[in-house]
Amino acid sequence: MRCTYCGVAVYCACGAAELEPGAIFRLRVADLSRRQATLDHLIPKSRGGRHDADNVAVACRSCNSSKQDLMFPAEWIPNRDLFTYIASSEALPPLENISRMGRLIGQLITELDPENLPPSVAEVCAVHHWRPRDVHLALAEMHRAGAFCVFAHPCSPSTRYYRPVTDPHDVFAGAVWVDGWS
């Protein structure tokens, strides 16, 4: 069994699904706890989701506890600071009533080198001493304003890129695609 969200091998306390025999000895106790299999509600019960087979998925304890009552992938993805990237652009469409953090990110993307791999939110926060939550809120604000298209890397469903929209008629602007989820 694997976690639906991050793909890590999980185990069930009842013994029906166990990790490889050697894996248990290589993991610390804290890692074993994070890898315990749980059932997660795709649509949280607090948002009207039902407790039935169509609405539950196997998740590691770590993903289930960090997801809380958020929706995947629009509001939450696993390890989002490490697996969310900001692509470079020469220009952005004009943005009105954007937050200070949004303006800082807009300035940052125009200074990024398009020849290099895009930086992750974790890398940007480490360099600029920004809080990840503030960056994600600003990216979501800019996405709603039509400045970014969000798309996923096809090989890794938990990896997404914020690509600046330079054409206001871009058909993908405003869409989030993650491994079949939209």
Side-chain angles (χ1 to χ4, degrees), residues 1-176:
M1 277 196 321
R2 295 200 168 275
C3 175
T4 302
Y5 302 114
C6 70
V8 70
V10 295
Y11 72 96
C12 183
C14 70
E18 296 183 18
L19 295 173
E20 298 172 12
I24 293 174
F25 297 108
R26 290 191 303 268
L27 294 173
R28 294 177 294 151
V29 173
D31 291 332
L32 278 173
S33 175
R34 288 186 203 110
R35 287 185 175 214
Q36 184 175 2
T38 63
L39 287 179
D40 178 61
H41 294 89
L42 299 171
I43 299 172
K45 290 189 344 182
S46 63
R47 293 186 172 189
R50 298 175 49 130
H51 187 70
D52 58 23
D54 292 337
N55 192 44
V56 294
V58 173
C60 66
R61 179 175 286 191
S62 180
C63 283
N64 197 350
S65 63
S66 71
K67 182 177 175 274
Q68 300 175 7
D69 67 342
L70 301 174
M71 299 292 286
F72 173 81
E75 300 170 340
W76 176 89
I77 60 171
N79 303 312
R80 69 181 183 165
D81 299 341
L82 298 174
F83 300 115
T84 300
Y85 300 90
I86 305 170
S88 65
S89 177
E90 294 177 5
L92 281 174
L95 299 171
E96 297 181 19
N97 301 325
I98 203 80
S99 67
R100 178 180 179 275
M101 181 57 73
R103 289 190 306 273
L104 289 171
I105 291 172
Q107 179 182 352
L108 169 76
I109 67 162
T110 59
E111 296 170 357
L112 291 173
D113 183 358
E115 299 297 320
N116 293 334
L117 292 173
S120 69
V121 168
E123 292 168 330
V124 167
C125 290
V127 169
H128 296 282
H129 306 290
W130 294 340
R131 292 184 349 189
R133 177 172 166 70
D134 294 341
V135 172
H136 285 289
L137 289 173
L139 288 170
E141 173 189 30
M142 295 173 82
H143 177 248
R144 286 190 301 273
F148 281 108
C149 171
V150 183
F151 67 100
H153 192 282
C155 299
S156 176
S158 63
T159 299
R160 65 179 175 178
Y161 290 83
Y162 279 89
R163 178 177 58 90
V165 174
T166 54
D167 176 8
H169 303 292
D170 187 343
V171 295
F172 293 112
V176 179

